[in-house]
Structure formats: C-alpha cells, structure tokens
Amino acid sequence: MKPDLVLFDNDGVLVDSEPIANRALAALLTELGVPTTYEDSLRDYLGGTMARVHAIVRERDGVTLPDDFDHVYHERVFAGFRAELEAVVGVAEVLDALDLAGVPYCLASSGTHERIRLALNRTDLIGRFPEPLIFSSQDVAQGKPAPDLFLHAAATMGVDPARCVVVEDSPLGVRAARAAGMTVYGYAAMTPPERLADADSLFKDMVDLPELLGIRP
C-alpha cells in the first residue's frame, strides 16, 4: 500500500554528504584533543545533532568543546559541500516516481536550515523541496533519536504518523522513526546493515526504493 507521506532524511539519503561532514568532524575533534577517526565519527555521531556531539564529548571524554566549535565545523563542512557535494545517485528518479504516483514527500533532517539549503542548492534538489517541505532539528525541542522532528513534520503536513514512511541511513534516525510510530526503510549503502536492523526493510540502491514504497511505475 502506498504511504500518504514519505519523509526523507537529508545527509546520506538525498545528498552524499556524510563522508564530507564526518571527515571534517573527526579532524576538528582530533585537533581539540579528542582523538577521533573517520570511522569513530560515523559510529558515534552519524545522524545526530551538534548538541549530541557536545554531550557525548563532555560525558565520555570530559571535554567541553569551545564556543565556536559549531561555527568552525560548519565553515569546513560548507566549504566541502561547495567543492564536492553531489546528490545520492538515483534520488531524482525516486522523486520523479513519487510525483508520478501523487505521493507527497518532505525532508526531515538533523542538520540546520542553513546546511540543508546549501546542500539542496549545491545538488540542484532545491526545486524539489520548497520551504514548507523542509524540517530541521532546529524546529523542535529534541532531535533524533527522539520522535519530535518526524511527528512535527507529519503534523504540519496533515498526515497520520501511521501512514508515513521514513527513509533513513542512521541508527538514530531509525530509532526516531520507530518512536514516532512510522514505517522506516533503512538505506544501507554506506551504513552497515546490522546498524539499521530495527528498520522495517533495508535497501542498498535507490533504484529499489520505489518498489518498497509501492510506487514502481
């Protein structure tokens, strides 16, 4: 059965930003005395908010990150986006199929509105997601893995959470979707499938998503 609304995570699902962002995060944390590899960053921070990064580093490593940490991090990430960010292969075709099937969709991301818009502009996806279809963790009290963001998006779009499908590539996002009472499909192109085991279904190639959504032409 077709969903009434599809909610896309942004980083790693719509845009191939996770390598850029996690390289930048690992390097910056290491510079600040918290040795972090790229793999560590993916494991610990993928899909989370900057507030979660601060909390983990403070509680686990006993380090309070400087006040300008978020600003420096985003400057580096945005520079990387401008230089090399691309859309995830096959995403445009998935959105075409949703449009053809008359299934609404929106974006629900842990990233800031500034980061989301830069990514969408850089990858020419901005026309697919006008302002009313973009939801950020900045819009709610708690980011993923809390369900707040997904519930806020569904309520704004006027859709019952039980009729929503979330497309996520992070364990935190999968947990948030399940807590919201939504069906969740785990995109395991980069994330190890076992880390997305709580998803309702897993897929590794965007070409397979329309069939999962029940909208293959």
Side-chain angles (χ1 to χ4, degrees), residues 67-202:
D67 292 341
D68 67 346
F69 178 84
D70 291 15
H71 175 72
V72 173
Y73 165 73
H74 281 115
E75 277 196 332
R76 296 186 185 186
V77 170
F78 292 170
F81 281 10
R82 294 185 184 100
E84 57 182 304
L85 186 64
E86 296 181 353
V88 168
V89 174
V91 158
E93 289 76 12
V94 171
L95 299 179
D96 286 343
L98 286 167
D99 289 337
L100 186 63
V103 176
Y105 51 86
C106 66
L107 183 161
S109 170
S110 291
T112 64
H113 279 287
E114 183 182 13
R115 174 172 172 158
I116 293 167
R117 289 190 186 89
L118 175 60
L120 295 179
N121 274 302
R122 166 63 185 159
T123 56
D124 294 326
L125 291 174
I126 191 68
R128 303 284 199 157
F129 295 95
E131 185 73 23
L133 302 185
I134 296 176
F135 301 93
S136 161
S137 61
Q138 290 179 305
D139 303 331
V140 294
Q142 298 183 87
K144 305 169 189 178
D148 303 31
L149 177 59
F150 291 140
L151 291 174
H152 169 62
T156 303
M157 299 289 288
V159 178
D160 181 349
R163 296 289 306 156
C164 293
V165 168
V166 175
V167 184
E168 266 286 355
D169 73 323
S170 77
L172 294 177
V174 169
R175 286 169 56 192
R178 293 194 67 83
M182 299 178 179
T183 299
V184 56
Y185 296 151
Y187 181 46
M190 193 174 90
T191 308
E194 60 271 18
R195 299 200 66 207
L196 302 174
D198 289 338
D200 292 279
S201 295
L202 299 178

Side-chain angles (χ1 to χ4, degrees), residues 12-29:
V13 173
L14 294 176
V15 300
D16 192 18
S17 55
E18 295 295 7
I20 298 170
N22 283 279
R23 285 196 302 265
L25 182 57
L28 183 55
L29 287 172

